[in-house]
Amino acid sequence: MNSLANELRHRITVQAMGPDRDEDNYPIDPIWTEYKKLWAKVTHLSGKDLIAAQANQSKVVARLKLRYREDITTEMRIIYKDKVYGIDSQALEDANTGYEYVTFLLSQGTEHV
């Protein structure tokens, strides 16, 4: 049996949009801030999968596998190897217990910069 720990060998940074108001409640330009650094498995789609995704008007370019957690949302983004990825799906739970790992679909584009 392959251990999940052996699979999660890619270091990623999860970022969240910072506050849009300062301490005096004045509006400010929100910026991306580091939320967590995590170990994950990042799998880029194969050429065949990319062609199928493009045919369905999808921007998905990779899958992200993490230990089970509930605090990652589609309003966050991922930094992996200096590239920015948007989270395009809600957490997809594993088939065993639903509490071992979660998978997210990632896209790449300017809307997450």
Side-chain angles (χ1 to χ4, degrees), residues 14-78:
V14 179
Q15 291 184 330
M17 188 60 74
D20 60 354
R21 299 213 171 251
D22 66 11
E23 58 275 352
D24 296 323
N25 207 27
Y26 288 104
I28 58 171
D29 290 332
I31 59 169
W32 289 102
T33 57
E34 183 177 312
Y35 177 69
K36 296 246 186 227
K37 284 193 182 281
L38 300 170
W39 290 102
K41 178 180 180 182
V42 179
T43 308
H44 288 85
L45 298 182
S46 68
K48 180 181 174 183
D49 289 338
L50 281 173
I51 291 169
Q54 289 171 352
N56 291 328
Q57 304 290 322
S58 174
K59 301 175 198 170
V60 172
V61 295
R63 288 183 198 91
L64 174 73
K65 186 176 185 178
L66 301 168
R67 288 189 186 280
Y68 180 83
R69 53 187 315 125
E70 297 178 351
D71 58 337
I72 308 296
T73 70
T74 57
E75 303 208 352
M76 298 175 170
R77 71 181 189 177
I78 304 298

